[in-house]
Amino acid sequence: MASIFTRILAGEIPGTFVFQGERWVALLDIRPAHPGHVLLIPREERQYLADLSGSTQAELGLHLARMTLAVKRATGCPAVNVVLNDGPEAGQEVPHAHLHVVPRWPGDHKGFRFAGAPYGNGQLATMAERLRAAWAAD
Ligand code: AMP
């Protein structure tokens, strides 16, 4: 689905790029959680990570690990969050897959914790089985 990122990638509207590769680019987020908040964006126009081509998916790990280092080096932050909002129900506003690399500082109160709850009786084993089957189905 075409989005604001399509227009930035096409050069129709400005973006501040950190790198521009064949399959992936990195852009400064225009409303950063902290300065140095970067978006890693595939050139392929797909909403969901799993819909990207195999070659684009395969490059992600290298770019992502390298970007966590670049953000730490450039900002001096001791830690980063890597966030993927993979669908609107997960908070995705721009329907073009992208990963956030967010600098984090001690006591910055930018973090979040999921309100976790333990599994009920037998539910952990059932869910593990379902996940193993789903994983094997691909
Ligand atoms: P998400 O909620 O995961 O879809 O995140 C979308 C991100 O894109 C937000 O953090 C926005 O601040 C960022 N964003 C939206 N428009 C632009 C833009 N023109 N340039 C850079 N970042 C943008």
Side-chain angles (χ1 to χ4, degrees):
M1 185 192 305
S3 72
I4 188 102
F5 293 165
T6 308
R7 301 186 62 204
I8 294 173
L9 286 165
E12 290 170 15
I13 57 172
T16 305
F17 289 93
V18 176
F19 88 88
Q20 299 186 64
E22 191 187 331
R23 296 190 175 87
W24 289 86
V25 306
L27 192 69
L28 282 181
D29 194 302
I30 206 167
R31 291 193 310 271
H34 283 300
H37 176 168
V38 167
L39 302 174
L40 196 54
I41 307 173
R43 289 189 184 276
E44 272 179 57
E45 201 175 85
R46 299 281 183 276
Q47 181 168 8
Y48 296 99
L49 188 69
D51 291 337
L52 295 170
S53 67
S55 45
T56 297
Q57 288 180 14
E59 274 187 19
L60 173 58
L62 289 173
H63 290 318
L64 187 56
R66 188 167 166 182
M67 189 54 70
T68 64
L69 284 181
V71 168
K72 286 179 183 172
R73 281 193 193 121
T75 67
C77 71
V80 297
N81 282 122
V82 173
V83 177
L84 166 69
N85 297 323
D86 200 38
E89 298 80 0
Q92 186 182 36
E93 288 176 4
V94 178
H96 181 135
H98 56 280
L99 292 100
H100 299 250
V101 182
V102 183
R104 295 300 309 275
W105 297 92
D108 66 7
H109 303 296
K110 299 280 187 182
F112 60 88
R113 287 269 162 208
F114 295 112
Y119 283 98
N121 235 359
Q123 289 177 350
L124 185 145
T126 305
M127 182 51 70
E129 266 317 307
R130 287 172 61 179
L131 284 165
R132 286 183 199 113
W135 175 263
D138 223 7

